[in-house]
Amino acid sequence: MEIKKIIIVALFYFVGILFFSCNNNEKHDNNSAKDTLSSNGDVSIINIISPKPLSLYTIGDKIEIKANISNDYIPDSSFILLNNKVEITNFKTAKNTINTDSCHTGNNSVQIVVWNNGKQHLSNVTILLKSNVIPEKFTYKVIKAYSHDSKSYTQGLIYENGFIYEGTGQYGESTLQKYKLQNSELIQSYNLPEDVFGEGIVVYKNKIYQLTWQSQIAFEFEKSTFKLINKFNFNTEGWGITNLGDNFVMSDGSNTLYVLNPETFSEIKKIEVYDNIGPVNQLNELELIDGKIYANVYQTDNIVIIEPQTGKVTGKINCSGLLDKTKVTKKVDVLNGIAWDQQNNKLYLTGKLWPQIYEVQIVKL
């Protein structure tokens, strides 16, 4: 009887070992691209030779991938991924080519993953992609000029039903204003705290929001009364802001635009802005026009037109000579301020401390 018990226990033990072994083999055989990002593994196993970190390419380029794998390591399976998507399975260490047609501008991640005996090893390199689109060139034609308060250090501009909403800057002088476009009659004004530097503005659901430069605070006002009702924090400098669908998009003076949740100001994603030469920095005041983002480039006379889905600059407007210097009686600053009358397809431009706002027509060169 005891012998039978021993035999039965031994049989169960053997079956258990066999079952565990089969499960382990099954897991190993099913290693796939979906598993590849579960662990960093031992990156010393893989040495990526090409491309070099932060190498600049153009969207659509075919990029050669070269890597060395440790001589005493024989992979069971291997993958090359581009932005977490498998491009090549069981790659060759000598030469592999990936296509960048579906990539976005800016930072893109190339990853090499190998598996051996159920263990993952990962190495990655970041490459940069510039736009494959040559921006169209535009100039402007002045249709009409309107008076503008030459004391206003313009940071944000919005047109709505005959009124201009303007956010102004400078410590101790920052304001939110509403006035009539036709005669600049001031309707409402709110003075921001003296320790903040006002920046861009945006309207959303009968509220108006104003950024600050380095305080990392956005103020929320009732649009009808300018009553301050809330404050939000964000994690970068605030420059320009506009609507993008049901979200906001904000600039911080770099080539990066931040898509934000309008209810919380939390970041949803980034848009890295590139033209066919490289990153376009100093993005400032923003305005959404017919699905594209128009952005003043700080310290220049240029406005760039950005495709938000890709980050590509599709057009550039040269606004040099826009300021009528015969109207200037004191120091002025740079072009900054874009407002769009969607109902009548009219575009208004101004600058910091400029004495006029200009209705302009964009002309293709």
Side-chain angles (χ1 to χ4, degrees), residues 117-347:
N117 197 27
K119 186 176 181 181
Q120 173 189 288
H121 303 274
L122 165 68
S123 187
N124 61 67
V125 62
T126 297
I127 60 172
L128 301 175
L129 291 175
K130 59 183 179 178
S131 173
N132 57 350
V133 173
I134 299 174
E136 292 185 286
K137 294 182 179 180
F138 299 91
T139 184
Y140 64 90
K141 176 183 177 182
V142 174
I143 305 300
K144 190 173 182 179
Y146 300 87
S147 61
H148 178 248
D149 186 354
S150 60
K151 297 188 295 295
S152 292
Y153 194 81
T154 306
Q155 302 290 71
L157 204 69
I158 295 172
Y159 174 89
E160 188 176 280
N161 298 324
F163 296 98
I164 293 289
Y165 293 87
E166 182 170 347
T168 72
Q170 300 289 19
Y171 290 108
E173 301 177 9
S174 297
T175 64
L176 175 64
Q177 301 177 9
K178 176 184 179 181
Y179 54 88
K180 293 180 180 179
L181 174 63
Q182 288 294 334
N183 58 12
S184 69
E185 178 188 347
L186 185 64
I187 305 300
Q188 281 176 296
S189 182
Y190 182 94
N191 295 324
L192 271 62
E194 292 191 356
D195 61 344
V196 302
F197 193 115
E199 288 283 348
I201 59 174
V202 63
V203 169
Y204 177 76
K205 290 186 176 179
N206 295 316
K207 305 291 193 302
I208 189 163
Y209 301 78
Q210 185 167 11
L211 301 176
T212 58
W213 177 30
Q214 293 181 321
S215 301
Q216 298 183 332
I217 296 172
F219 296 101
E220 179 185 32
F221 302 91
E222 287 185 355
K223 185 162 72 77
S224 59
T225 65
F226 282 9
K227 178 183 176 182
L228 178 63
I229 55 177
N230 205 354
K231 297 179 184 179
F232 297 93
N233 295 105
F234 50 92
N235 296 321
T236 184
E237 289 187 359
W239 285 43
I241 190 167
T242 192
N243 307 89
L244 185 62
D246 292 327
N247 300 313
F248 294 156
V249 60
M250 180 181 76
S251 65
D252 68 350
S254 67
N255 74 307
T256 300
L257 299 178
Y258 302 85
V259 179
L260 306 176
N261 182 324
E263 306 289 348
T264 64
F265 267 74
S266 59
E267 182 183 312
I268 297 172
K269 67 175 183 177
K270 294 183 177 73
I271 303 170
E272 298 176 76
V273 179
Y274 281 69
D275 62 13
N276 60 316
I277 298 173
V280 180
N281 291 296
Q282 299 281 77
L283 299 176
N284 199 0
E285 224 274 282
L286 307 176
E287 183 79 3
L288 187 72
I289 302 175
D290 294 337
K292 293 193 175 182
I293 300 169
Y294 285 54
N296 284 117
V297 181
Y298 185 51
Q299 299 286 12
T300 77
D301 291 321
N302 295 326
I303 294 172
V304 292
I305 303 171
I306 303 160
E307 188 175 71
Q309 297 85 355
T310 64
K312 298 177 183 179
V313 172
T314 60
K316 292 185 179 181
I317 308 169
N318 184 347
C319 297
S320 59
L322 176 61
L323 175 62
D324 182 355
K325 293 184 178 180
T326 65
K327 304 294 183 181
V328 175
T329 59
K330 61 179 186 176
K331 182 180 177 181
V332 294
D333 211 310
V334 296
L335 174 76
N336 199 50
I338 308 170
W340 176 240
D341 176 0
Q342 183 175 4
Q343 184 176 355
N344 298 298
N345 292 324
K346 292 182 178 181
L347 180 63

Side-chain angles (χ1 to χ4, degrees), residues 349-361:
L349 304 177
T350 192
K352 303 172 188 284
L353 309 178
W354 284 21
Q356 291 183 308
I357 294 176
Y358 301 94
E359 178 192 338
V360 301
Q361 178 183 340

